[in-house]
Amino acid sequence: MDKKKVVAPLVCHGHSRPVVDLFYSPITPDGFFLVSASKDSTPMLRNGETGDWIGTFQGHKGAVWSCCLDKHALRAASASADFSAKLWDALTGDELHSFEHKHIVRACAFSEDTHLLLTGGMEKMLRIFDLNRPDAPPREIEKSPGSVRTVAWLHSDQTILGSCTDMGGVRLWDVRTGTIVRTLETKSSVTSAEVSQDGRYITTADGSTVKFWDANHFGLVKSYNMPCIVESASLEPKYGNKFVAGGEDMWIHVFDFHTGAEIGCNKGHHGPVHCVRFSPGGESYASGSEDGTIRIWQTGPLNSTEQETSSANVPNQNAADGITHQIENVHIAEEDKTDGSD
């Protein structure tokens, strides 16, 4: 079952500094897409299947910490150390709007209905911008207890989740009331939080462990200790039977979701892995590293059932149904906070 693991990944060059965030679009009529954020200040858009470069979004003046696409892959958003979040036309690369903040912006996420953009960062404040009225003041949500590291929407845009750089736990806000209604407790700061494509699970990485939470009742479903300090984790979206994690040891580890057993390990990066994400059909997953490259790894089938039903290069349109956006952001070292003036 590990024979597929030795297949060389697609290596995507282009960024001149570390890659700190990756985001896959859902499957669209034109295929699916991958957007990457880097400290080099230029998010890049790629064909999600081949890794081929499509375009670069130019306009930020500092490190870009987070990036995302709306569910139609028509617009992109990015969050930067230059105290702004920007909205982009993903077809032309044009900057549509710049949302100014008072400090470094670490995280951004489109709502499922694509009308809203959520941001968070060093101001310890969540803001919701109405993309139909981009010049209108944003709605500000109850202050986060710490500097915001990751944000995501769930429950059809009724709930927001966020984690902090300087404390453990994932907080859940009720969008209607703007108040924190639940905290998922973790020992360390959560550096990656992903809502599964079917909306069932929240996957968190907090350094020493990867945890899976029930996204509706918020109970802890699984918790696995990791072989190294991991910064990011992603659950396979089609079968939900495995997950990948990456971190300080520069390797991409593949684990069985049900048992936590390591079933594969991919080596190739020359620096710590900051982000890992599965493609929307589960046929591959991408990793972004301190070494400035993105690598796209093919997923090997685990059993005969998968082999019969999996068609690696023919995306399943149903996978796009009911997609839940997933966002993760990455660790900022104290000295990197100066990246706002790059």
Side-chain angles (χ1 to χ4, degrees), residues 7 11 33 52 69 73 76 80 83 102 161 165 189 214 219 234 238 244 251 300 303 311 319 340:
V7 175
V11 183
F33 301 91
D52 291 343
L69 292 161
S80 173
F83 295 17
K102 297 184 180 73
L161 67 83
T165 54
S189 171
D214 184 313
S234 183
K238 196 169 182 182
V244 292
W251 301 346
N303 55 47
S311 48

mmCIF file of all heavy atoms in Angstrom, residues 7 11 33 52 69 73 76 80 83 102 161 165 189 214 219 234 238 244 251 300 303 311 319 340:
data_model
loop_
_atom_site.group_PDB
_atom_site.id
_atom_site.type_symbol
_atom_site.label_atom_id
_atom_site.label_comp_id
_atom_site.label_asym_id
_atom_site.label_seq_id
_atom_site.Cartn_x
_atom_site.Cartn_y
_atom_site.Cartn_z
ATOM 1 N N VAL A 7 6.120 7.895 -5.522
ATOM 2 C CA VAL A 7 5.955 8.702 -6.723
ATOM 3 C C VAL A 7 6.407 10.133 -6.423
ATOM 4 O O VAL A 7 6.027 10.716 -5.414
ATOM 5 C CB VAL A 7 4.483 8.702 -7.189
ATOM 6 C CG1 VAL A 7 4.299 9.632 -8.374
ATOM 7 C CG2 VAL A 7 4.051 7.286 -7.535
ATOM 8 N N VAL A 11 6.591 19.588 -8.148
ATOM 9 C CA VAL A 11 7.238 20.662 -7.392
ATOM 10 C C VAL A 11 6.927 21.990 -8.065
ATOM 11 O O VAL A 11 7.204 22.164 -9.256
ATOM 12 C CB VAL A 11 8.761 20.453 -7.301
ATOM 13 C CG1 VAL A 11 9.392 21.558 -6.452
ATOM 14 C CG2 VAL A 11 9.079 19.083 -6.702
ATOM 15 N N PHE A 33 -8.672 24.890 -8.219
ATOM 16 C CA PHE A 33 -7.535 25.794 -8.197
ATOM 17 C C PHE A 33 -6.890 25.835 -6.822
ATOM 18 O O PHE A 33 -7.525 25.542 -5.809
ATOM 19 C CB PHE A 33 -7.991 27.195 -8.626
ATOM 20 C CG PHE A 33 -8.597 27.200 -10.002
ATOM 21 C CD1 PHE A 33 -9.970 27.008 -10.175
ATOM 22 C CD2 PHE A 33 -7.804 27.338 -11.124
ATOM 23 C CE1 PHE A 33 -10.535 26.975 -11.441
ATOM 24 C CE2 PHE A 33 -8.357 27.306 -12.397
ATOM 25 C CZ PHE A 33 -9.717 27.119 -12.559
ATOM 26 N N ASP A 52 0.289 23.870 -12.358
ATOM 27 C CA ASP A 52 0.764 24.881 -13.297
ATOM 28 C C ASP A 52 0.378 26.287 -12.827
ATOM 29 O O ASP A 52 -0.761 26.535 -12.422
ATOM 30 C CB ASP A 52 0.171 24.650 -14.694
ATOM 31 C CG ASP A 52 0.729 23.398 -15.358
ATOM 32 O OD1 ASP A 52 1.784 22.907 -14.901
ATOM 33 O OD2 ASP A 52 0.100 22.904 -16.318
ATOM 34 N N LEU A 69 -9.940 31.395 -1.748
ATOM 35 C CA LEU A 69 -10.755 31.595 -2.941
ATOM 36 C C LEU A 69 -12.214 31.447 -2.551
ATOM 37 O O LEU A 69 -12.537 30.688 -1.618
ATOM 38 C CB LEU A 69 -10.413 30.553 -4.010
ATOM 39 C CG LEU A 69 -9.023 30.647 -4.644
ATOM 40 C CD1 LEU A 69 -8.648 29.322 -5.302
ATOM 41 C CD2 LEU A 69 -8.986 31.772 -5.667
ATOM 42 N N ALA A 73 -14.316 30.089 -7.269
ATOM 43 C CA ALA A 73 -12.940 30.390 -7.691
ATOM 44 C C ALA A 73 -12.882 31.590 -8.632
ATOM 45 O O ALA A 73 -12.021 31.679 -9.499
ATOM 46 C CB ALA A 73 -12.276 29.171 -8.336
ATOM 47 N N ALA A 76 -10.317 35.968 -5.208
ATOM 48 C CA ALA A 76 -9.362 35.542 -4.186
ATOM 49 C C ALA A 76 -9.295 36.625 -3.126
ATOM 50 O O ALA A 76 -9.650 37.790 -3.375
ATOM 51 C CB ALA A 76 -7.986 35.306 -4.802
ATOM 52 N N SER A 80 -2.414 40.321 4.979
ATOM 53 C CA SER A 80 -0.995 40.652 4.903
ATOM 54 C C SER A 80 -0.471 41.405 6.118
ATOM 55 O O SER A 80 -1.218 42.043 6.867
ATOM 56 C CB SER A 80 -0.744 41.486 3.643
ATOM 57 O OG SER A 80 0.570 41.983 3.590
ATOM 58 N N PHE A 83 -0.832 45.442 6.918
ATOM 59 C CA PHE A 83 -2.018 45.987 7.592
ATOM 60 C C PHE A 83 -3.226 46.041 6.673
ATOM 61 O O PHE A 83 -4.112 46.879 6.850
ATOM 62 C CB PHE A 83 -1.766 47.394 8.177
ATOM 63 C CG PHE A 83 -0.751 47.457 9.297
ATOM 64 C CD1 PHE A 83 0.136 46.427 9.535
ATOM 65 C CD2 PHE A 83 -0.690 48.576 10.111
ATOM 66 C CE1 PHE A 83 1.079 46.495 10.571
ATOM 67 C CE2 PHE A 83 0.240 48.670 11.149
ATOM 68 C CZ PHE A 83 1.121 47.622 11.369
ATOM 69 N N LYS A 102 -5.564 48.091 11.264
ATOM 70 C CA LYS A 102 -4.633 48.877 12.082
ATOM 71 C C LYS A 102 -3.415 48.071 12.517
ATOM 72 O O LYS A 102 -2.557 48.578 13.249
ATOM 73 C CB LYS A 102 -5.366 49.418 13.314
ATOM 74 C CG LYS A 102 -6.500 50.383 12.990
ATOM 75 C CD LYS A 102 -7.113 50.948 14.263
ATOM 76 C CE LYS A 102 -8.239 51.916 13.933
ATOM 77 N NZ LYS A 102 -9.444 51.211 13.442
ATOM 78 N N LEU A 161 -15.272 30.238 13.496
ATOM 79 C CA LEU A 161 -14.291 29.695 14.431
ATOM 80 C C LEU A 161 -12.974 30.430 14.250
ATOM 81 O O LEU A 161 -12.636 30.895 13.162
ATOM 82 C CB LEU A 161 -14.115 28.185 14.273
ATOM 83 C CG LEU A 161 -13.505 27.568 13.025
ATOM 84 C CD1 LEU A 161 -11.984 27.597 13.080
ATOM 85 C CD2 LEU A 161 -13.960 26.122 12.906
ATOM 86 N N THR A 165 -2.720 33.086 18.361
ATOM 87 C CA THR A 165 -1.296 32.757 18.300
ATOM 88 C C THR A 165 -0.709 32.531 19.686
ATOM 89 O O THR A 165 0.277 31.818 19.833
ATOM 90 C CB THR A 165 -0.493 33.896 17.643
ATOM 91 O OG1 THR A 165 -0.783 35.106 18.334
ATOM 92 C CG2 THR A 165 -0.831 34.053 16.184
ATOM 93 N N SER A 189 -1.264 26.493 21.297
ATOM 94 C CA SER A 189 -1.876 27.331 20.259
ATOM 95 C C SER A 189 -2.205 26.507 19.014
ATOM 96 O O SER A 189 -1.386 25.704 18.551
ATOM 97 C CB SER A 189 -0.910 28.459 19.889
ATOM 98 O OG SER A 189 -1.359 29.160 18.759
ATOM 99 N N ASP A 214 -16.276 17.078 16.521
ATOM 100 C CA ASP A 214 -17.590 17.051 15.886
ATOM 101 C C ASP A 214 -18.006 18.498 15.630
ATOM 102 O O ASP A 214 -18.136 19.293 16.564
ATOM 103 C CB ASP A 214 -18.588 16.354 16.822
ATOM 104 C CG ASP A 214 -19.964 16.196 16.195
ATOM 105 O OD1 ASP A 214 -20.474 17.185 15.629
ATOM 106 O OD2 ASP A 214 -20.532 15.096 16.280
ATOM 107 N N GLY A 219 -17.977 17.876 20.336
ATOM 108 C CA GLY A 219 -17.246 16.907 21.143
ATOM 109 C C GLY A 219 -15.940 16.523 20.459
ATOM 110 O O GLY A 219 -15.809 16.604 19.241
ATOM 111 N N SER A 234 -4.670 18.062 7.571
ATOM 112 C CA SER A 234 -5.823 18.106 6.659
ATOM 113 C C SER A 234 -6.411 16.718 6.529
ATOM 114 O O SER A 234 -5.684 15.729 6.385
ATOM 115 C CB SER A 234 -5.368 18.628 5.289
ATOM 116 O OG SER A 234 -6.463 18.753 4.397
ATOM 117 N N LYS A 238 -12.867 12.794 0.602
ATOM 118 C CA LYS A 238 -13.806 11.908 -0.093
ATOM 119 C C LYS A 238 -14.233 10.727 0.780
ATOM 120 O O LYS A 238 -15.421 10.414 0.898
ATOM 121 C CB LYS A 238 -13.154 11.404 -1.376
ATOM 122 C CG LYS A 238 -14.131 10.798 -2.369
ATOM 123 C CD LYS A 238 -13.454 10.580 -3.709
ATOM 124 C CE LYS A 238 -14.429 10.011 -4.728
ATOM 125 N NZ LYS A 238 -13.778 9.747 -6.022
ATOM 126 N N VAL A 244 -3.321 14.025 6.610
ATOM 127 C CA VAL A 244 -1.898 14.345 6.463
ATOM 128 C C VAL A 244 -1.544 15.442 7.458
ATOM 129 O O VAL A 244 -2.391 16.248 7.859
ATOM 130 C CB VAL A 244 -1.554 14.800 5.027
ATOM 131 C CG1 VAL A 244 -1.692 13.644 4.052
ATOM 132 C CG2 VAL A 244 -2.407 15.977 4.581
ATOM 133 N N TRP A 251 8.868 16.609 6.755
ATOM 134 C CA TRP A 251 8.206 15.498 6.077
ATOM 135 C C TRP A 251 6.692 15.685 6.119
ATOM 136 O O TRP A 251 6.157 16.367 6.977
ATOM 137 C CB TRP A 251 8.545 14.162 6.736
ATOM 138 C CG TRP A 251 10.007 13.839 6.762
ATOM 139 C CD1 TRP A 251 11.008 14.447 6.049
ATOM 140 C CD2 TRP A 251 10.648 12.821 7.552
ATOM 141 N NE1 TRP A 251 12.218 13.871 6.342
ATOM 142 C CE2 TRP A 251 12.037 12.877 7.257
ATOM 143 C CE3 TRP A 251 10.191 11.884 8.477
ATOM 144 C CZ2 TRP A 251 12.969 12.024 7.857
ATOM 145 C CZ3 TRP A 251 11.111 11.021 9.078
ATOM 146 C CH2 TRP A 251 12.477 11.091 8.761
ATOM 147 N N GLY A 300 -2.239 7.645 -2.689
ATOM 148 C CA GLY A 300 -2.315 6.232 -3.066
ATOM 149 C C GLY A 300 -3.557 5.601 -2.479
ATOM 150 O O GLY A 300 -3.868 5.801 -1.312
ATOM 151 N N ASN A 303 -7.290 0.728 -0.271
ATOM 152 C CA ASN A 303 -7.911 -0.596 -0.344
ATOM 153 C C ASN A 303 -8.612 -0.772 -1.689
ATOM 154 O O ASN A 303 -8.715 0.141 -2.486
ATOM 155 C CB ASN A 303 -8.910 -0.791 0.816
ATOM 156 C CG ASN A 303 -9.946 0.309 0.854
ATOM 157 O OD1 ASN A 303 -10.517 0.647 -0.181
ATOM 158 N ND2 ASN A 303 -10.202 0.862 2.027
ATOM 159 N N SER A 311 -11.202 7.776 -9.111
ATOM 160 C CA SER A 311 -10.638 8.101 -10.421
ATOM 161 C C SER A 311 -9.846 9.387 -10.236
ATOM 162 O O SER A 311 -10.411 10.470 -10.187
ATOM 163 C CB SER A 311 -11.747 8.273 -11.457
ATOM 164 O OG SER A 311 -12.753 9.105 -10.959
ATOM 165 N N ALA A 319 -18.535 16.406 -5.050
ATOM 166 C CA ALA A 319 -17.673 16.832 -3.950
ATOM 167 C C ALA A 319 -17.815 18.324 -3.685
ATOM 168 O O ALA A 319 -17.505 18.797 -2.605
ATOM 169 C CB ALA A 319 -16.217 16.490 -4.268
ATOM 170 N N GLY A 340 5.935 43.467 8.285
ATOM 171 C CA GLY A 340 4.949 44.455 7.883
ATOM 172 C C GLY A 340 5.573 45.621 7.141
ATOM 173 O O GLY A 340 4.903 46.332 6.415
#
